Amino acid sequence: MRHRHTRQYLPFGDRLRDVSPVLVAHGTRNPHGVSVIAEIAEAVGKQVGTTRTAFVDVLGPTPAEVIADVDRPAVLVPAFLASGYHVRKDLPQHVEAAGRCDTIVTRALGPDPAIADVARLRLVEAGWEPGDSVVLAAAGSSDESACGQVHLAARQLESIIGGRVEVGFITTATPSVPEAVERASRNGRRVAIASYLLAPGLFHQRLHTYGADVVADPLGADQRIVDLIVTRMRAAISPYRRQAPVSG
């Protein structure tokens, strides 16, 4: 039986009334991380109606399972901060497996100036002070384009905190976070890690082991993240949107 979505939040004529929003995250065994994704989806739902969640790894339901279960065209928002393998390869495969050619996949969340704003706030909350060296720590990718997007995110963060922001990857790509921390510490200043992660999990836990003086929390269920997700949905279903392959 297909899942029916409520649309009492949206005015008549709003195009989001005609789709089923789905937030797609990576997945984690960390219960707090799962709850953060649920909190974000609930906050999105308050703006656009019931928003379901799906995960590409670790736990379910999968995007294919959710897509097959909805009674309207699904609009999938990849809750990823760069467009790596999961966005470019996994999601199109899930759409194909579900057999729903009416599915719409939005842009990934990042990079975006709104995310840089949240990253700065998390740094301040963690004890960062102007003059501290900063490392933007991200999940790595074998996709060079995705890594390039993380470097763009670092430039966006630089623009609002001042000073150089080094990039470090937790896995796969280089430089590693420890390498970036070492490089950032050469000027003798304190080193703060800005977590370019959406929710807590194994990757974020590792950041506390890399020798930085300050480690910021993940971005979390900030209202600016919620608004960005809604913006991605509206852009994807716009009648003026240029048609593009699902793989983006």
Side-chain angles (χ1 to χ4, degrees):
M1 180 178 179
R2 288 183 174 175
H3 188 93
R4 295 190 174 274
H5 294 248
T6 57
R7 287 291 179 271
Q8 66 268 33
Y9 307 98
L10 299 170
F12 181 79
D14 193 313
R15 293 173 65 88
L16 281 173
R17 290 172 64 100
D18 302 322
V19 296
S20 294
V22 182
L23 185 65
V24 182
H26 181 275
T28 176
R29 293 181 178 86
N30 184 312
H32 188 199
V34 176
S35 68
V36 167
I37 299 301
E39 185 179 352
I40 294 172
E42 181 179 4
V44 171
K46 290 179 179 178
Q47 295 190 37
V48 303
T50 303
T51 299
R52 299 185 68 180
T53 55
F55 301 94
V56 296
D57 200 2
V58 183
L59 69 163
T62 67
E65 290 169 340
V66 174
I67 295 168
D69 188 47
V70 296
D71 63 339
R72 296 179 175 89
V75 55
L76 306 185
V77 183
F80 293 88
L81 303 179
S83 297
Y85 178 85
H86 292 302
V87 175
R88 296 180 182 275
K89 302 295 184 181
D90 269 356
L91 281 186
Q93 290 173 2
H94 279 282
V95 171
E96 183 178 359
R100 293 290 297 271
C101 60
D102 57 355
T103 300
I104 300 165
V105 180
T106 79
R107 282 181 53 198
L109 294 188
D112 192 272
I115 294 175
D117 286 340
V118 180
R120 177 191 175 279
L121 175 61
R122 296 291 173 263
L123 279 171
V124 171
E125 292 171 343
W128 165 85
E129 296 177 354
D132 290 345
S133 297
V134 175
V135 172
L136 184 68
S141 174
S142 57
D143 187 314
E144 291 185 6
S145 174
C147 293
Q149 290 169 31
V150 175
H151 283 275
L152 173 57
R155 304 293 82 78
Q156 291 173 337
L157 182 57
E158 280 180 353
S159 72
I160 56 176
I161 67 172
R164 173 75 178 175
V165 174
E166 300 286 349
V167 169
F169 296 100
I170 302 166
T171 184
T172 308
T174 57
S176 67
V177 178
E179 290 170 341
V181 169
E182 191 278 329
R183 183 182 303 169
S185 67
R186 291 174 186 171
N187 59 16
R189 298 172 181 170
R190 295 197 315 164
V191 177
I193 291 179
S195 179
Y196 197 59
L197 301 167
L198 188 61
L202 178 62
F203 280 178
H204 187 262
Q205 291 171 5
R206 291 181 183 175
L207 298 184
H208 291 276
T209 70
Y210 294 147
D213 300 285
V214 172
V215 178
D217 285 341
L219 301 171
D222 188 277
Q223 186 60 46
R224 283 163 289 194
I225 299 294
V226 173
D227 292 342
L228 180 59
I229 291 169
V230 175
T231 296
R232 292 285 185 263
M233 289 183 188
R234 292 200 177 280
I237 65 171
S238 167
Y240 305 107
R241 176 177 181 260
R242 182 177 298 174
Q243 293 300 310
V246 167
S247 60

